[in-house]
């Protein structure tokens, strides 16, 4: 099935992306955890967990200074790509525009005298989606905004890009059928017990929405969190627009 294959490839590619690194962090590996029925949580090192905590602080700092700009960024991008032409900026300037360097400094502990952080722009975009969703949506989405399941008016950079469609379909399914569980995941602190519990609760839903027939699938919690953040922000933003317009047509950006 094209959807299943595309999503598996997309998640595998995202799992290989770099994360923040601190020279003072230890690289101890936690044991593999069985979640759901056929899904496994990918083990996470202490270093990776610390990186996610830092990314959360950086994203919250950036969003607090750029709320309107964040909405514009999210509305002119998708899970994988940012439409820099529509935003009248470029890839080299966007980190500066969103105060990322200064916010990295604020994320450092007092005992840390030097910090190096590297993550793709798409990761920054999805981290900002989480902060925007949590800021404007204090409670789980409910009511008419949960229907229809598929948000046909999502902004997309490329018209024919199977991984994007796979992410959209899986995310729309999750946000429509499990908004409370998805909200709990985003509302939890990275590496906390609450995050692990929400992740485990979400896996049966993820399995159903992913439509996977694999006997075993390993998922990084950081990637799942990004996918859920994109999905919940999209439902919060696009579902009301769809209801107002009464149209089912999509909104497409530049194609590549």
């Amino acid at each position: 099935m094209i959807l299943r294959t595309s999503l598996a490839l997309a998640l595998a590619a995202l799992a290989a992306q770099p994360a923040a690194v601190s020279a003072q962090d230890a690289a101890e590996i936690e044991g593999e955890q069985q979640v759901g029925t056929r899904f496994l949580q990918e083990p996470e090192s202490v270093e990776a967990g610390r990186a996610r905590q830092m990314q959360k602080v950086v994203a919250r700092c950036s969003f607090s200074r750029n709320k309107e700009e964040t909405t514009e960024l999210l509305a002119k991008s998708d899970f994988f790509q940012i439409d820099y032409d529509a935003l009248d900026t470029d890839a080299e300037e966007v980190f500066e525009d969103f105060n990322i360097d200064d916010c990295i400094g604020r994320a450092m502990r007092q005992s840390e005298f030097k910090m190096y952080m590297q993550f793709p722009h798409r990761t920054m975009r999805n981290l900002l989606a989480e902060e925007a969703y949590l800021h404007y949506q204090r409670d789980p989405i409910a009511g008419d905004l949960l229907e229809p399941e598929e948000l046909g008016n999502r902004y997309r950079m490329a018209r024919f890009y199977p991984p994007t469609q796979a992410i959209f379909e899986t995310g729309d399914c999750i946000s429509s059928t499990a908004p409370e569980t998805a909200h709990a995941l985003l509302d939890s602190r990275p590496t906390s017990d609450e995050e692990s519990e929400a992740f485990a609760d979400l896996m049966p839903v993820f399995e159903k929405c992913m439509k996977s027939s694999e006997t075993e699938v390993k998922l990084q919690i950081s990637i799942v969190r990004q996918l859920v953040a994109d999905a919940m922000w999209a439902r919060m933003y696009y579902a009301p627009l769809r209801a107002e317009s009464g149209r089912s047509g999509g909104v497409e950006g530049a194609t590549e």
Side-chain angles (χ1 to χ4, degrees), residues 125 129 133 141 151 153-155 168 171-172 175 228-241:
R125 182 265 183 199
Y133 168 78
I141 298 172
L151 296 172
N153 59 334
R154 273 174 173 261
Y155 193 91
F168 284 1
D172 286 350
S175 67
V228 172
D230 172 69
M232 297 305 286
W233 178 86
R235 186 154 299 275
M236 178 188 72
Y237 183 81
Y238 290 112
L241 294 178

Side-chain angles (χ1 to χ4, degrees), residues 58-108:
V58 171
R60 181 170 293 177
C61 169
S62 176
F63 173 76
S64 68
R65 302 182 182 192
N66 304 280
K67 292 184 177 66
E68 294 183 3
E69 293 82 359
T70 295
T71 298
E72 184 180 10
L73 172 72
L74 296 173
K76 298 297 183 183
S77 60
D78 60 32
F79 183 88
F80 287 103
Q81 302 174 36
I82 299 172
D83 191 345
Y84 294 107
D85 291 338
L87 293 169
D88 194 26
T89 187
D90 58 48
E92 295 183 359
E93 294 179 354
V94 69
F95 267 49
E96 181 178 351
D97 293 343
F98 280 79
N99 309 108
I100 299 300
D101 287 344
D102 185 52
C103 288
I104 289 174
R106 292 178 176 272
M108 294 172 59

